Amino acid sequence: MIMKKNRLLIIALVAGSMALTSCVSKKELEQCRLENKELTNNFQDTKEQLAASRARVSSLEEQLDAQKKAYIALQRSLDQSLTNSSQNNISIDKLVDQINESNQYIRHLVEVKSKSDSLNLILQTNLLRSLSNDEKKEVDVQVLKGVVYISLADNMLYKSGSYEINERAGATLSKIAKVIMDYKDYDVLIEGNTDDVPISRQNIRNNWDLSCLRASSVVQALQNDYGVDPKRLTAGGRGEYNPLMPNTTDAGRQRNRRTQIIITPKLDQFMDLIDQAPED
């Protein structure tokens, strides 16, 4: 009887122990399942965050690369601008220098012209003072475009229809020669002019010949009779092709028959001015 009770007790203890063990294992398993689920969820969240971070890093790297390229392009543009600016400054400085040189040259020309105009007026005044009232009727003295023009009527200078100088012209030519010799820095052009009436004389083919021969006669008189340096003298004829008035009247033809003594500054003085001009 006692043995039976003991056996029953043992069986009860074993069953109780198994029931207790079964109960504990289910709780632990459930807890493990919950923890595993939480870990799985955390892992998934971490993966998603990592992927998002990697995408953000890739986007930032692309933006950084674009910024680097933009910076390089901007730096090149700035360098080019600085180069162009430097070149422009050099060009502007050179232009300013050229303008200053040109202004200085223009002022020099104005001074020379003013001096030349003053000398021309003095020359004109001195010549007019030396002429008598009767001579002034046949001698016209003007200053035009920086040049002194002395115009003498042909009937006052030459024998009729000839290129030979008459005796009456000697006194007037001597006064003109004195003024020419007083102004040694001037050259002298003697220019013959005729009307359009054809001429028919031995050894004179036409009015071209007559105008040149008359100019040559005045040049030789200034040289041989009054001592003017022949290097300063030039003789030229313009025939009937430089009229002052139409050749339709006697008065017009008379005005056109004239010899002009043109007094000008020496050509080498103008060449000196050209040499002083700015090169650019």
Side-chain angles (χ1 to χ4, degrees), residues 226-244:
Y226 307 110
V228 177
D229 184 355
K231 295 179 181 179
R232 299 173 56 193
L233 301 173
T234 301
R238 303 192 66 175
E240 63 199 65
Y241 301 104
N242 185 35
L244 293 176

Side-chain angles (χ1 to χ4, degrees), residues 133-182:
N133 291 332
D134 289 338
E135 287 173 327
K136 290 178 183 178
K137 295 177 183 179
E138 298 177 305
V139 179
D140 183 31
V141 183
Q142 296 185 43
V143 177
L144 299 174
K145 298 180 180 180
V147 176
V148 179
Y149 288 85
I150 306 171
S151 183
L152 302 97
D154 73 321
N155 57 359
M156 173 254 185
L157 275 176
Y158 313 105
K159 298 177 181 179
S160 178
S162 171
Y163 55 85
E164 296 179 1
I165 295 176
N166 61 38
E167 297 177 357
R168 189 165 67 93
T172 303
L173 285 179
S174 67
K175 295 174 182 178
I176 294 174
K178 183 179 184 306
V179 172
I180 291 174
M181 295 178 68
D182 287 341

Side-chain angles (χ1 to χ4, degrees), residues 119-135:
L119 289 174
N120 288 338
L121 290 174
I122 294 173
L123 190 156
Q124 179 191 30
T125 301
N126 290 342
L127 181 57
L128 288 174
R129 285 178 178 174
S130 68
L131 298 176
S132 66
N133 291 332
D134 289 338
E135 287 173 327

Side-chain angles (χ1 to χ4, degrees), residues 13 16 25 37 51 69 74 77 95 111 124 136 153 163 191 200 216 248 254 260:
L13 288 172
S25 296
K37 184 178 181 180
K69 291 180 180 179
L74 180 62
S77 177
L95 179 60
E111 292 175 359
Q124 179 191 30
K136 290 178 183 178
Y163 55 85
E191 183 182 272
S200 177
S216 178
T248 54
Q254 184 177 356
Q260 290 183 310

Side-chain angles (χ1 to χ4, degrees), residues 37-272:
K37 184 178 181 180
E38 184 178 358
L39 290 173
T40 300
N41 292 336
N42 291 339
F43 176 69
Q44 188 64 32
D45 291 342
T46 302
K47 285 179 64 178
E48 292 176 356
Q49 291 177 7
L50 179 60
S53 297
R54 285 177 176 173
R56 178 63 176 166
V57 168
S58 178
S59 176
L60 290 174
E61 287 178 346
E62 291 177 357
Q63 294 180 25
L64 179 60
D65 186 59
Q67 292 292 333
K68 287 181 178 179
K69 291 180 180 179
Y71 173 77
I72 292 173
L74 180 62
Q75 186 65 43
R76 288 176 179 173
S77 177
L78 179 61
D79 292 342
Q80 186 63 37
S81 297
L82 291 174
T83 301
N84 293 339
S85 176
S86 177
Q87 292 176 348
N88 289 337
N89 287 337
I90 293 174
S91 299
I92 292 173
D93 291 341
K94 185 177 180 180
L95 179 60
V96 170
D97 291 340
Q98 291 176 353
I99 291 173
N100 289 335
E101 290 179 1
S102 297
N103 288 338
Q104 183 177 0
Y105 178 62
I106 290 172
R107 286 194 295 270
H108 178 64
L109 287 180
V110 170
E111 292 175 359
V112 171
K113 184 179 184 304
S114 178
K115 180 180 179 181
S116 177
D117 289 344
S118 298
L119 289 174
N120 288 338
L121 290 174
I122 294 173
L123 190 156
Q124 179 191 30
T125 301
N126 290 342
L127 181 57
L128 288 174
R129 285 178 178 174
S130 68
L131 298 176
S132 66
N133 291 332
D134 289 338
E135 287 173 327
K136 290 178 183 178
K137 295 177 183 179
E138 298 177 305
V139 179
D140 183 31
V141 183
Q142 296 185 43
V143 177
L144 299 174
K145 298 180 180 180
V147 176
V148 179
Y149 288 85
I150 306 171
S151 183
L152 302 97
D154 73 321
N155 57 359
M156 173 254 185
L157 275 176
Y158 313 105
K159 298 177 181 179
S160 178
S162 171
Y163 55 85
E164 296 179 1
I165 295 176
N166 61 38
E167 297 177 357
R168 189 165 67 93
T172 303
L173 285 179
S174 67
K175 295 174 182 178
I176 294 174
K178 183 179 184 306
V179 172
I180 291 174
M181 295 178 68
D182 287 341
Y183 291 84
K184 300 184 183 299
D185 292 332
Y186 285 73
D187 284 330
V188 182
L189 168 64
I190 315 300
E191 183 182 272
N193 296 269
T194 69
D195 57 25
D196 64 349
V197 177
I199 185 170
S200 177
R201 291 194 58 183
Q202 188 177 3
N203 299 327
I204 301 178
R205 295 169 295 182
N206 48 41
N207 284 327
W208 278 114
D209 281 356
L210 179 61
S211 64
C212 292
L213 288 169
R214 285 182 169 179
S216 178
S217 293
V218 174
V219 163
Q220 293 181 65
L222 292 174
Q223 173 188 352
N224 299 328
D225 300 337
Y226 307 110
V228 177
D229 184 355
K231 295 179 181 179
R232 299 173 56 193
L233 301 173
T234 301
R238 303 192 66 175
E240 63 199 65
Y241 301 104
N242 185 35
L244 293 176
M245 298 181 67
N247 285 297
T248 54
T249 64
D250 290 340
R253 287 190 290 271
Q254 184 177 356
R255 284 288 307 278
N256 294 332
R257 295 191 300 269
R258 69 199 186 280
T259 297
Q260 290 183 310
I261 300 177
I262 304 170
I263 304 175
T264 65
K266 286 184 179 293
L267 182 60
D268 57 0
Q269 292 180 344
F270 288 106
M271 296 304 296
D272 289 341

